């Protein structure tokens, strides 16, 4: 890291050591923020709510696409306008480093390498000291820990692991073993659990591997220990997150480790549902499909990164598959779990995309019966191969294609939700509003992105897992009543 050059990291006596945190982007960033929050508390900092008066505002930024970058910059400028000292962390900060610091002098810029000593970094910021931001580097070239030193055998926590957890201060938990801490920030009955970091794929449109680094799985024992802690702090559903969950375990010597881990996570006392996010279609093996589709406590939910359906476009993206292969994959899933939830995102306007390619994607969307569809317009990303590909489309044309596909997606998602009317479901209640009404999510609805279900007909509490029958739909959102002739919830 470029240095703190001579900074003592000591805040003057009586300085107000409070920090508020703003988290942007994906659930992986949420976990990072909770780890940073625990480290800061351990270092003597007091956490304030966003918007409250604080000495420092730390913005955990997103740097995935242009819209996310702009949102991150806007948040940093807003925070600076409030008079607090501002720190940029996260993907945008890591990706651009010194150039971001030059363009945005209102904020100090941190690297991932600063996270281990975050309290000292903020001490320096609060004391008015500045340092030279890091020069970005390609983290794909940094060797991860050798697989031989991290054997993946055995799913039980090692001796002494539980005692180490119990010795931690209230409100924090190990995130990668006893020495890494976590503090829940948002509460609620759903909690993300990061199973790995980084990505080894080389999609031509994506810069994430360059700043997130190579794929590194976390040890199963650490995940089970953290899952138990999350359950003890209000979590009922675990959302497993990573850049590519289907690769979990490959660097630990067992590519089928996720199939072994999922039933163990689902059996953690207090956890009623485990959901896996971000599955690569090309890596979705039959054994994993069977576990996701047929394991009690594991949501039959498939977050599949299709990105397109034209074989030509997918090859240009350096991905695999086509419309027929993807439809075959969905057929395999639905033969095992007819009501399984499926979501995916798609890039429209990729360089070289023709009208025929677009029609191929439209046909796939019509055939696939997806519960949730995200449509994104292609934009060049710094340092990616796609930025130099021929056949770049005008922004106006990309916008028109996005609008056309988004309208189709809205119609198809509404149809899919309506198809569920009269069918049974299993809903985890997240909030109640009185009058016998409660809102939660069915197994086919992931948090924040896939709609929700309003449940009527009983007095429910957050964390209840209830059997329902769907009775109505409004777009992707559903209405349901409690199943059973006596109106009972059916499940604890």
């Amino acid at each position: 890291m470029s240095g703190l050059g001579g900074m003592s990291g000591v805040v003057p006596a009586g300085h107000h050591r409070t920090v508020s945190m703003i988290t942007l982007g994906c659930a992986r960033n949420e976990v990072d923020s909770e780890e940073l929050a625990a480290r800061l508390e351990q270092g003597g900092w007091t956490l304030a709510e966003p918007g409250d008066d604080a000495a420092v505002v730390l913005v955990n930024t997103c740097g995935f696409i242009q819209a996310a970058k702009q949102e991150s910059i806007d948040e940093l400028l807003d925070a600076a306008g409030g008079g607090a000292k501002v720190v940029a962390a996260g993907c945008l900060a890591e990706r651009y480093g010194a150039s971001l610091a030059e363009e945005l002098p209102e904020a100090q810029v941190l690297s991932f390498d600063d996270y281990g000593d975050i309290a000292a970094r903020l001490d320096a910021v609060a004391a008015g000291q500045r340092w030279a931001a890091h020069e970005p580097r390609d983290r794909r070239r940094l060797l991860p820990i050798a697989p031989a030193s991290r054997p993946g055998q055995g799913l039980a926590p090692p001796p002494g692991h539980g005692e180490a957890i119990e010795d931690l201060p209230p409100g924090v938990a190990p995130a990668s073993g006893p020495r890494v801490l976590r503090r829940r920030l948002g509460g609620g009955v759903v909690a993300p659990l990061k199973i790995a970091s980084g990505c080894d794929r080389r999609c031509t449109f994506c810069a994430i591997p360059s700043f997130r680094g190579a794929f590194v799985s976390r040890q199963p024992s650490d995940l089970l220990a953290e899952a138990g802690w999350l359950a003890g702090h209000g979590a009922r559903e675990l959302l497993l997150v990573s850049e590519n969950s289907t690769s979990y375990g490959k660097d630990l010597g067992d590519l089928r480790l996720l199939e072994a881990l999922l039933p163990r996570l689902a059996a953690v006392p207090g956890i009623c549902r485990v959901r896996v996010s971000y599955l690569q279609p090309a890596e979705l093996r039959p054994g994993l499909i069977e576990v996701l589709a047929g394991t009690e406590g594991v949501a039959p939910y498939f977050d599949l990164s299709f990105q397109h359906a034209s074989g030509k476009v997918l090859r240009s993206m350096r991905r695999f598959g086509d419309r027929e292969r993807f439809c075959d994959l969905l057929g395999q899933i639905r033969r095992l779990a007819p009501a399984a939830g499926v979501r995916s995102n798609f890039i429209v306007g990729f360089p070289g995309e023709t009208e025929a390619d677009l029609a191929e994607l439209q046909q796939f969307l019509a055939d696939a019966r997806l519960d949730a569809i995200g449509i994104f317009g292609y934009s060049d990303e710094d340092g990616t191969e796609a930025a130099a590909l021929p056949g770049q489309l005008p922004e106006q044309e990309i916008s028109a294609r996005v609008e056309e596909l988004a309208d189709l997606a809205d119609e198809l998602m509404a149809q899919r939700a309506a198809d569920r009317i009269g069918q049974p479901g299993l809903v985890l209640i997240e909030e109640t509003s009185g009058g016998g009404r409660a809102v939660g999510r069915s197994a086919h609805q992931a948090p924040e992105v896939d709609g929700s279900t309003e449940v009527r007909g009983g007095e429910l509490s957050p964390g209840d897992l209830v059997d329902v029958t769907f009775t109505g739909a409004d777009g992707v959102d559903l209405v349901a009543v409690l199943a059973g002739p006596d109106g009972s919830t059916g499940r604890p």
Side-chain angles (χ1 to χ4, degrees):
M1 185 201 111
S2 44
L4 296 171
M7 296 191 317
S8 66
V10 176
V11 177
H15 193 90
H16 197 44
R17 298 177 77 218
T18 57
V19 55
S20 65
M21 301 183 67
I22 298 171
T23 303
L24 304 175
C26 64
R28 299 184 292 278
N29 261 15
E30 292 179 27
V31 178
D32 288 349
S33 287
E34 293 190 348
E35 293 179 5
L36 288 171
R39 290 178 180 274
L40 286 166
E41 279 198 337
Q42 192 180 49
W45 281 77
T46 299
L47 298 177
E49 292 294 325
D52 290 351
D53 181 40
V56 177
V57 176
L58 189 154
V59 182
N60 191 352
T61 61
C62 179
F64 180 43
I65 58 176
Q66 184 57 42
K69 297 176 194 175
Q70 189 59 54
E71 182 186 14
S72 295
I73 291 170
D74 291 344
E75 286 285 355
L76 289 165
L77 290 172
D78 286 347
K85 299 182 186 300
V86 179
V87 172
C91 293
L92 186 73
E94 179 64 41
R95 186 175 179 185
Y96 293 102
S99 63
L100 177 64
E102 182 178 353
E103 294 292 330
L104 202 70
E106 295 87 348
Q108 298 250 48
V109 177
L110 297 183
S111 167
F112 294 151
D113 295 335
D114 294 311
Y115 285 14
D117 203 17
I118 188 66
R121 300 293 180 265
L122 263 60
D123 285 345
V125 171
Q129 302 178 50
R130 295 194 67 87
W131 61 85
H134 65 282
E135 291 293 338
R137 52 182 172 166
D138 189 341
R139 288 182 174 267
R140 287 173 296 191
R141 300 175 183 173
L142 304 180
L143 294 177
I145 300 172
S149 69
R150 300 179 302 165
Q153 303 301 316
L155 288 171
H161 201 104
E163 288 77 7
I165 297 168
E166 293 169 4
D167 290 341
L168 293 174
V172 298
S176 294
R179 295 184 180 180
V180 180
L181 307 179
R182 179 172 178 178
R183 181 192 191 279
R184 292 206 72 187
L185 293 175
V189 299
V190 181
L193 178 62
K194 185 164 61 176
I195 64 173
S197 296
C199 184
D200 290 337
R201 300 187 70 88
R202 296 294 181 265
C203 302
T204 57
F205 56 83
C206 183
I208 287 176
S210 67
F211 57 85
R212 277 289 183 182
F215 187 88
V216 179
S217 303
R218 292 181 58 200
Q219 286 286 353
S221 56
D222 292 340
L223 295 171
L224 288 165
E226 187 175 337
W229 181 88
L230 288 168
H233 288 78
R236 294 276 278 152
E237 176 177 320
L238 301 176
L239 175 64
L240 306 192
V241 298
S242 73
E243 276 76 18
N244 178 10
S245 296
T246 34
S247 283
Y248 177 75
K250 70 175 186 179
D251 54 326
L252 299 178
D254 185 356
L255 190 54
R256 296 174 294 179
L257 199 55
L258 186 58
E259 288 94 308
L261 176 63
L262 284 170
R264 297 293 303 274
L265 287 172
V268 170
I271 297 300
C272 65
R273 187 156 69 196
V274 178
R275 184 186 305 274
V276 184
S277 68
Y278 210 83
L279 302 167
Q280 281 285 348
E283 299 179 23
L284 190 57
R285 49 205 175 267
L288 181 55
I289 295 174
E290 291 174 3
V291 171
L292 290 169
T295 303
E296 184 176 359
V298 176
Y301 177 83
F302 294 80
D303 176 15
L304 295 167
S305 175
F306 287 127
Q307 301 298 352
H308 212 281
S310 160
K312 176 175 73 68
V313 173
L314 287 163
R315 287 191 296 274
S316 185
M317 292 177 170
R318 197 174 290 135
R319 297 176 68 87
F320 303 94
D322 53 34
R323 177 169 62 89
E324 290 185 359
R325 288 186 177 91
F326 291 165
C327 285
D328 287 345
L329 176 60
L330 293 174
Q332 294 176 43
I333 291 169
R334 286 169 174 151
R335 281 191 290 274
L336 294 174
V342 185
R343 74 158 288 120
S344 191
N345 294 325
F346 300 88
I347 297 174
V348 176
F350 192 78
E353 182 189 68
T354 64
E355 291 289 347
D357 296 324
L358 194 66
E360 189 79 351
L361 176 54
Q362 290 172 318
Q363 185 60 55
F364 173 70
L365 293 178
D367 294 340
R369 297 171 58 239
L370 304 178
D371 293 277
I373 303 168
I375 303 293
F376 297 91
Y378 170 80
S379 62
D380 286 338
E381 287 298 317
D382 298 334
T384 61
E385 292 182 44
L389 288 176
Q392 300 277 338
L393 299 177
E395 290 186 13
Q396 185 176 0
E397 175 61 23
I398 293 175
S399 296
R401 294 185 181 191
V402 168
E403 183 176 358
E404 180 181 3
L405 267 291
D407 288 344
L408 174 62
D410 287 343
E411 179 183 347
L412 293 171
M413 289 187 291
Q415 290 176 5
R416 178 61 174 157
D419 288 344
R420 293 186 181 274
I421 296 175
Q423 301 299 313
L426 192 58
V427 173
L428 176 64
I429 302 301
E430 294 187 349
E431 57 186 70
T432 57
S433 57
R437 294 190 174 187
V439 175
R441 289 174 301 98
S442 176
H444 75 279
Q445 296 170 320
E448 298 184 6
V449 293
D450 292 349
S452 61
T453 299
E454 179 183 325
V455 180
R456 302 172 181 173
E459 293 299 324
L460 301 172
S461 301
D464 287 344
L465 185 68
V466 297
D467 291 298
V468 303
T469 300
F470 297 115
T471 59
D474 181 9
V476 295
D477 297 323
L478 290 163
V479 177
V481 295
L482 291 175
D486 58 352
S488 62
T489 62
R491 293 172 185 260

